[in-house]
Amino acid sequence: MKKLLFTLSAFFVLAASMAQTEEELKAQIAPKKDSIAAIQGRVNALQAQLDALPGWKIGAFGTIGGNFSNFDNWYAQGIPNNSSGNIGFTVNAYANLQEEKFFWRNAATVNLAWVKLDDKDDPTDDDSFRQATDVFNISSLYGRKLSEKFAISTLAEYRTTLLSNFNDPGYLDLGIGATWTPITDLVVVIHPLNYNFVFSSEDTIFESSLGAKIVADYTKKIGAVNFKSNLSLFQSYESSDLSNWTWTNSFGYTLWKMIGVGFDFGLRNNKQETLNYVVNNAPTPDPNATFDTIDNKLQTYWTLGLSYKF
């Protein structure tokens, strides 16, 4: 009995000492976390000062995603013998010049992806990689500063595809107006005088027009996180059928050195592209479709995979 009481007492003493040690360690961690946060805050403040200095700022980050699979005699699915895969990548690059009286901001976004599904039991199917995502966008914004936050500006922006139908359609926006930079990383462009040139072999659907251009771009690096969000909107003065907008977002989190995890997604609305698809490219084309009869669905894409910071 004495041995049992001694063992229980020793156990409780040990447990109490371990709990005390755990609490002491947690108590020591807390102020260190506060110190790390304070140091990071000072680093971020210094980085903000560096970003505000005149001169060129050049950078890029991107996402690479892909997977491959192979099935043999996997009868639980509709195609028991198949090999499949998809691969894609996104690159966001910028080159910005900041001077006392003017700025010049240049950006490029490329998002390409391919996919394949090979049914081994069907010798007639397509076993090659096919285009899945195809986005290409470049822009150049020049502004003459009226103050630290406002400038008279001119913008050129070009959007098209690269893998197929290059410049068919292609969109070139040229306009003038004002740019507002409320904070270092946010740029808002408002150009009430903008011409949207549309290049396409299908001239009965696609049409150039005069309108207003609005662009909002937020690009930020916080520690291991790279973030970019861009909204580009054209509002035609002639008809809402000729208007369009695209919103793209890219996230990159660095895990080790330059490698990390990336996620990209985009939204788009373009009635001219929808009508062209229904008339010419749908599985069952409708040559009699019009802007009033089509279902103009929201266009979306997303990519998840490894990221690489340049």
Side-chain angles (χ1 to χ4, degrees), residues 9-302:
S9 300
F11 173 77
F12 285 119
V13 169
L14 179 62
S17 63
M18 290 180 64
Q20 184 178 7
T21 302
E22 182 180 356
E23 292 301 323
E24 290 174 351
L25 290 173
K26 288 182 178 180
Q28 293 179 34
I29 288 175
K32 290 180 171 56
K33 285 186 176 180
D34 293 339
S35 298
I36 293 173
I39 292 171
Q40 187 61 54
R42 293 194 294 270
V43 170
N44 293 340
L46 291 172
Q47 186 62 52
Q49 294 179 35
L50 285 172
D51 294 339
L53 291 176
W56 283 99
K57 302 292 186 300
I58 299 174
F61 68 98
T63 301
I64 300 174
N67 65 72
F68 301 91
S69 62
N70 185 83
F71 292 89
D72 290 308
N73 305 320
W74 198 267
Y75 297 115
Q77 60 189 15
I79 305 177
N81 301 292
N82 76 78
S83 63
S84 63
N86 65 70
I87 185 170
F89 69 89
T90 302
V91 176
N92 297 281
Y94 63 89
N96 300 329
L97 175 62
Q98 187 71 241
E99 295 293 345
E100 182 181 354
K101 296 184 178 180
F102 70 91
F103 59 80
W104 184 23
R105 304 177 64 91
N106 303 277
T109 298
V110 180
N111 189 324
L112 305 177
W114 298 262
V115 63
K116 82 163 185 173
L117 174 60
D118 176 23
D119 183 353
K120 299 176 183 178
D121 297 322
D122 182 2
T124 63
D125 74 335
D126 186 358
D127 61 354
S128 61
F129 277 92
R130 293 174 292 170
Q131 167 197 334
T133 305
D134 193 354
V135 178
F136 177 71
N137 182 296
I138 57 174
S139 65
S140 183
L141 173 69
Y142 176 84
R144 197 73 182 178
K145 294 181 181 179
L146 300 177
S147 67
E148 284 299 315
K149 298 185 182 299
F150 289 94
I152 300 298
S153 57
T154 179
L155 171 71
E157 182 183 61
Y158 177 67
R159 305 183 308 280
T160 186
T161 56
L162 293 177
L163 300 179
S164 65
N165 302 322
F166 176 73
N167 204 43
D168 190 13
Y171 305 89
L172 174 62
D173 281 292
L174 295 174
I176 58 174
T179 294
W180 178 43
T181 52
I183 56 178
T184 302
D185 305 297
L186 177 62
V187 178
V188 180
V189 179
I190 303 174
H191 285 179
L193 186 59
N194 182 92
Y195 201 82
N196 179 235
F197 295 91
V198 183
F199 310 101
S200 175
S201 57
E202 182 56 86
D203 55 5
T204 61
I205 296 176
F206 292 96
E207 183 180 345
S208 303
S209 64
L210 181 69
K213 183 74 173 181
I214 297 176
V215 177
D217 185 275
Y218 184 77
T219 304
K220 184 71 173 179
K221 180 181 182 299
I222 305 175
V225 178
N226 283 283
F227 172 76
K228 179 179 177 64
S229 182
N230 180 277
L231 172 66
S232 178
L233 181 150
F234 172 73
Q235 180 63 50
S236 173
Y237 292 146
E238 298 182 26
S239 170
S240 61
D241 295 333
L242 306 181
S243 303
N244 63 78
W245 60 267
T246 303
W247 183 33
T248 58
N249 299 270
S250 296
F251 304 87
Y253 181 77
T254 304
L255 297 173
W256 178 72
K257 293 186 177 180
M258 298 296 185
I259 300 174
V261 177
F263 177 67
D264 298 84
F265 75 90
L267 306 175
R268 182 170 173 81
N269 186 287
N270 190 311
K271 211 168 185 179
Q272 295 179 91
E273 291 178 349
T274 302
L275 180 59
N276 181 60
Y277 174 78
V278 172
V279 172
N280 297 308
N281 302 318
T284 306
D286 181 4
N288 298 316
T290 66
F291 284 116
D292 296 326
T293 62
I294 60 174
D295 182 10
N296 186 32
K297 296 181 179 179
L298 183 67
Q299 304 174 38
T300 66
Y301 75 82
W302 62 269

